[in-house]
Structure formats: C-alpha cells, structure tokens
Amino acid sequence: MPRYCLFGDTVNTASRIESTGLPYRIHISQNTMRILHNLKEGYKMNFRGKTELKGKGLEDTYWLVGKKGFTKTLPQPPEIKAGQPWQETITREIKAAMKVSKRKFADQYN
C-alpha cells in the first residue's frame, strides 16, 4: 500500500503530458506556458499542437526550447516522424553514449 496517493487535475495533466512527450524535449501544458510567459524571464517555447488530456479534451501544448541568456549546448532532438519507433532510436543512442563513457573511464585508469 503506497504511503501517499496523489490524484486530481494536476496529476492527470502531468501524466498525460509525460506520456505524450518525445525524447529530448520538454513538453509543457498551456497553463505552464502562460506562467513562464508572464514571468518575463525569456523562456522560449514553441507550439507543439493539440494534445488529448483526460477529462479536459484537446488542449494546446508547447515545447520548452530554451531561455534567453542560456548558453550551454543542449542535445538536438532527433527528427521523429509519425509511426516511427523512436524508443529504438533512443535506446541505440543511450547504448552508444554508455560505450563512449565506459571507454573514457577505462582509459582514465589504464
């Protein structure tokens, strides 16, 4: 039995946003977009499209793509087309990155 049980509009929205997101992208709701916009701190967002949110219907959602003045390099999201098995693509990328990391670690101690 879980110690805490969370439910309600916020949890349902977060779950749906997470489950309809894509790799290397930050998927945000319309409410989050409005909050970030109203902060006037230079957050950059792109319209993603309509997303079906349980109990709410279709809602506009957005990608958070950066912030003014943020200069660190971000990973480039892979091009993903409808019906493409993106999980396989990401698994290959993770395995390749781990191989490079293990090699660097081994070289460090040899």
Side-chain angles (χ1 to χ4, degrees), residues 98-109:
M98 291 298 291
K99 191 180 284 186
V100 169
S101 180
K102 285 180 183 178
R103 191 175 315 125
K104 285 181 181 178
F105 182 79
D107 290 347
Q108 190 176 20
Y109 293 98

Side-chain angles (χ1 to χ4, degrees), residues 44-103:
K44 298 174 185 175
M45 295 157 282
N46 292 337
F47 180 67
R48 187 249 170 108
K50 303 263 185 204
T51 300
E52 178 72 32
L53 298 178
K54 186 177 178 181
K56 297 173 107 177
L58 289 174
E59 185 175 309
D60 291 343
T61 60
Y62 299 81
W63 300 122
L64 177 61
V65 296
K67 184 178 179 188
K68 184 178 176 184
F70 185 82
T71 58
K72 291 185 180 181
T73 305
L74 297 173
Q76 186 65 30
E79 185 66 33
I80 298 190
K81 297 176 178 77
Q84 183 180 3
W86 59 265
Q87 288 98 343
E88 294 171 16
T89 303
I90 299 307
T91 300
R92 279 195 306 275
E93 288 184 11
I94 291 170
K95 286 181 179 179
M98 291 298 291
K99 191 180 284 186
V100 169
S101 180
K102 285 180 183 178
R103 191 175 315 125

Side-chain angles (χ1 to χ4, degrees), residues 14-21:
S15 175
R16 189 53 58 110
I17 290 289
E18 187 276 333
S19 67
T20 58

